[in-house]
Amino acid sequence: MMESTEKISKVEVRKLHIDDYTQLAQSFTRVYADKDEFWTQQQIRKLIQIFPEGQIVTVVNNKIVGCALSIIVDYDFVKGDHTYAKVTGNETFSTHSPKGNILYGIEVFIHPDYRGLRLARRMYEYRKELCEKLNLKAIMFGGRIPNYYKYSDKMQPKEYIGKVRSRDIYDPVLTFQLSNDFHVRRVMKNYLPNDEESRHCATLLQWDNIYYQPPTENIVDKKTTVRVGIVQWQMRPYKTLDDVFEQVEFFIDAVSDYKSDFILFPEYFNAPLMSEFNHLGEAQSIRALAQYTEQIRERFINLAISYNINIITGSMPLLLKDGTLYNVGYLVRRDGTYEQYEKIHITPDEIKSWGLSGGHLVQTFDTDCAKIGVLICYDVEFPELSRIMAEQGMQILFVPFLTDTQNAYSRVRVCAQARAIENECFVVIAGSVGNLPRVHNMDIQYAQSGVFTPCDFAFPTDGRRAEATPNTEMILVSDVDLDLLNELHTYGSVHNLLDRRHDLYELKLKKGN
């Protein structure tokens, strides 16, 4: 866990600037070094000058907490045995070649107070994206094996690496690299002559760019595939918020292992906690549940940062100081920022049993991979809302829902499919299953979560990209290609957005609500 008690409000990976040098020199110790000196300002300046995209920092709350440096070299230069001094030109970086095909890492470090938040992984993901963007063949570097000294009298480096790979031995560097899709090409002797912990050995690590194309005159297109994860949540008794989030983190961990960009939770996934207040009336118990909402939001922020994933938190009650009760949720981005969305239309039962009020926010949200909208359950049955979002450029609509019967579910599901067709977008829905016999007004649930698409040649003929098993707890992971939407807008068999008769009718959002 992170040692710092500082509350994180934003995480950012950006390019390194020379103005950052003072903070770096004061806060960090070099990892790949045979001497105790930090990089000189002249060295950092040169790296920025010759390869600015390759020098990055991780910033938390405007404070630099990590850094990664790299150069470009030719594969033939580093495929065999070499030393750190050789690959860096004795740290002059004369070996950097813009015409090379290997992104070579020469330094990575994270401030000790900020370890345990997977921040280094963000910099490795940046390197992978940069490798793909520059159409380089692979990422390579010499990796230390700092725990090898504990076993060097018992085994050779090859055996040690094998045991780390099989998880029989933990090595803080090699275990991390292997979990990030790097593989060991060879063992190099005297890579860092003064590295006593590694017994002067290093592993030559490599990550292959599967999108690499031999140089041609054609421009390599940027990837536009977005991966979404859906949680079909099982309603079961939970005594504490910790119990709920043990299950929440399990799902986030599982979905992030598949490198999903988003994860969607259902409406009122935290309803089991109302069992504690079952002695109260229905309206009082859901207001008591609202006391957890701020804690839930903060926990989701930490999980979004730790697992590097954008989270749509489903929904939960929010009680204002004036006594007004809303149904809200949060888009929690992987950089730690968040925004609130609200349920606009309240069902008759929500009004009768709980005294809920309808919200006023109708908006889209920018993320690092798509422009999205969120409509909570009943809202998806009102086509005006998603059409307004489509006019704002929405590409993916997320719908957390909670339905008790199959006919109630069918309303949500059929309307969600309609929204995908008429707005030429993807629609992702997630609901809960199971029952809560000791929670008033939450007895049974029915759901079949899924991903829906427009209906045209580039999409499934029935508009169903993926669907979960009905009434079964599970996760669903699916890819959606945003380029297909762009093609549909221009070359589709029909043009639902383009062919609207603006001369006859219009839809507008009233301001000031």
Side-chain angles (χ1 to χ4, degrees):
M1 294 297 295
M2 186 182 72
E3 295 178 12
S4 174
T5 58
E6 176 186 10
K7 180 181 177 181
I8 295 178
S9 60
K10 186 173 183 179
V11 178
E12 177 187 17
V13 174
R14 63 164 173 79
K15 292 180 183 178
L16 170 66
H17 307 303
I18 193 61
D19 293 338
D20 300 325
Y21 180 79
T22 300
Q23 188 177 158
L24 288 175
Q26 293 175 349
S27 304
F28 296 98
T29 301
R30 286 187 56 187
V31 176
Y32 295 93
D34 286 327
K35 49 186 179 296
D36 295 332
E37 299 175 5
F38 188 70
W39 296 103
T40 67
Q41 189 170 24
Q42 182 180 0
Q43 288 173 316
I44 296 297
R45 190 185 301 276
K46 182 171 184 180
L47 283 170
I48 294 173
Q49 178 184 358
I50 63 176
F51 187 28
E53 299 93 338
Q55 325 312 324
I56 58 174
V57 290
T58 296
V59 183
V60 173
N61 297 349
N62 297 318
K63 176 183 177 182
I64 297 175
V65 302
C67 182
L69 311 176
S70 55
I71 57 176
I72 297 176
V73 297
D74 191 79
Y75 179 73
D76 290 337
F77 181 58
V78 293
K79 67 180 181 180
D81 206 1
H82 60 272
T83 64
Y84 186 79
K86 176 183 177 182
V87 77
T88 61
N90 289 317
E91 301 182 359
T92 65
F93 318 117
S94 60
T95 51
H96 173 75
S97 172
K99 296 182 178 180
N101 55 7
I102 297 295
L103 184 68
Y104 197 97
I106 61 173
E107 188 73 88
V108 171
F109 44 72
I110 291 289
H111 193 285
D113 289 349
Y114 291 84
R115 291 170 185 168
L117 285 173
R118 297 176 174 85
L119 297 178
R121 184 174 298 179
R122 292 170 181 260
M123 294 191 291
Y124 279 93
E125 291 300 321
Y126 174 94
R127 280 180 171 174
K128 291 175 183 178
E129 293 175 6
L130 180 62
C131 186
E132 294 171 1
K133 177 182 177 182
L134 298 180
N135 192 36
L136 300 177
K137 185 175 183 179
I139 301 172
M140 298 176 70
F141 56 88
R144 300 175 63 244
I145 43 177
N147 273 1
Y148 177 54
Y149 74 95
K150 300 177 181 178
Y151 305 90
S152 59
D153 59 338
K154 305 174 185 176
M155 60 186 73
Q156 294 297 312
K158 180 179 179 180
E159 184 181 358
Y160 176 81
I161 293 169
K163 288 188 175 295
V164 174
R165 186 182 291 114
S166 64
R167 298 295 196 266
D168 292 327
I169 294 175
Y170 172 78
D171 185 278
V173 175
L174 184 56
T175 299
F176 174 81
Q177 305 297 356
L178 294 176
S179 68
N180 279 276
D181 302 322
F182 285 84
H183 59 274
V184 179
R185 283 189 51 88
R186 64 186 299 137
V187 175
M188 301 183 294
K189 299 295 181 77
N190 295 315
Y191 185 75
L192 290 171
N194 291 339
D195 187 2
E196 295 293 338
E197 288 182 326
S198 303
R199 292 296 185 256
H200 316 292
C201 296
T203 56
L204 179 57
L205 291 155
Q206 181 170 330
W207 174 85
D208 298 308
N209 177 15
I210 63 174
Y211 300 104
Y212 172 76
Q213 296 290 333
T216 66
E217 294 182 359
N218 297 327
I219 299 175
V220 178
D221 293 333
K222 181 182 178 181
K223 290 192 305 172
T224 59
T225 299
V226 176
R227 182 162 292 176
V228 297
I230 305 168
V231 177
Q232 188 156 284
W233 178 266
Q234 173 78 42
M235 288 294 194
R236 56 167 65 91
Y238 292 105
K239 292 184 178 180
T240 68
L241 188 59
D242 288 338
D243 293 335
V244 172
F245 268 83
E246 182 178 12
Q247 190 70 13
V248 166
E249 185 168 5
F250 165 78
F251 283 124
I252 293 176
D253 189 6
V255 169
S256 69
D257 280 345
Y258 292 104
K259 298 183 179 179
S260 294
D261 297 292
F262 293 96
I263 183 170
L264 172 64
F265 284 86
E267 180 183 25
Y268 288 126
F269 74 94
N270 63 334
L273 294 175
M274 278 199 291
S275 63
E276 180 183 353
F277 314 110
N278 221 24
H279 61 286
L280 304 174
E282 294 174 1
Q284 289 71 36
S285 63
I286 196 168
R287 282 164 172 76
L289 180 65
Q291 68 182 283
Y292 295 111
T293 295
E294 185 173 345
Q295 298 178 57
I296 289 173
R297 185 190 66 210
E298 295 305 309
R299 291 194 183 209
F300 271 122
I301 290 172
N302 289 332
L303 290 172
I305 293 171
S306 295
Y307 289 94
N308 194 23
I309 190 169
N310 300 303
I311 302 174
I312 294 94
T313 66
S315 79
M316 58 208 78
L318 178 67
L319 184 63
L320 301 187
K321 292 182 179 179
D322 64 3
T324 306
L325 185 68
Y326 291 113
N327 183 356
V328 308
Y330 302 95
L331 161 66
V332 181
R333 300 182 183 88
R334 53 180 131 210
D335 67 0
T337 61
Y338 71 90
E339 294 190 67
Q340 180 175 303
Y341 51 85
E342 302 172 353
K343 189 170 186 177
I344 306 301
H345 300 90
I346 306 303
T347 65
D349 184 66
E350 287 177 300
I351 297 173
K352 176 183 176 182
S353 300
W354 291 337
L356 277 167
S357 298
H360 302 89
L361 295 176
V362 180
Q363 59 184 327
T364 54
F365 305 101
D366 291 317
T367 71
D368 55 7
C369 47
K371 176 164 280 194
I372 71 166
V374 185
L375 292 177
I376 301 175
C377 198
Y378 192 32
D379 282 339
V380 79
E381 299 175 31
F382 296 83
E384 298 90 347
L385 298 181
S386 55
R387 177 51 54 87
I388 290 170
M389 293 177 176
E391 291 178 340
Q392 294 175 358
M394 175 188 65
Q395 297 165 297
I396 306 174
L397 175 63
F398 290 94
V399 182
F401 70 90
L402 177 70
T403 51
D404 52 357
T405 62
Q406 192 167 357
N407 59 315
Y409 160 74
S410 295
R411 290 195 295 269
V412 171
R413 180 254 179 84
V414 172
C415 289
Q417 285 195 267
R419 303 297 86 86
I421 294 171
E422 66 198 18
N423 295 305
E424 298 178 346
C425 67
F426 297 105
V427 179
V428 183
I429 69 173
S432 296
V433 300
N435 58 80
L436 288 173
R438 292 192 295 273
V439 177
H440 295 311
N441 206 41
M442 297 290 296
D443 301 319
I444 58 174
Q445 285 78 41
Y446 182 93
Q448 184 180 16
S449 305
V451 180
F452 305 115
T453 74
C455 291
D456 214 318
F457 294 114
F459 304 93
T461 55
D462 58 2
R464 293 183 292 181
R465 179 69 179 84
E467 285 187 293
T469 303
N471 264 13
T472 302
E473 182 176 48
M474 63 179 292
I475 60 173
L476 186 66
V477 179
S478 180
D479 289 343
V480 295
D481 189 345
L482 303 183
D483 265 351
L484 295 181
L485 299 182
N486 296 331
E487 294 175 9
L488 179 70
H489 296 333
T490 304
Y491 304 110
S493 301
V494 294
H495 307 105
N496 294 89
L497 292 177
L498 186 63
D499 291 343
R500 287 174 293 163
R501 290 286 303 273
H502 295 294
D503 59 321
L504 291 178
Y505 57 84
E506 66 176 353
L507 175 67
K508 63 181 180 180
L509 181 66
K510 292 184 177 180
K511 304 297 181 182
N513 288 349

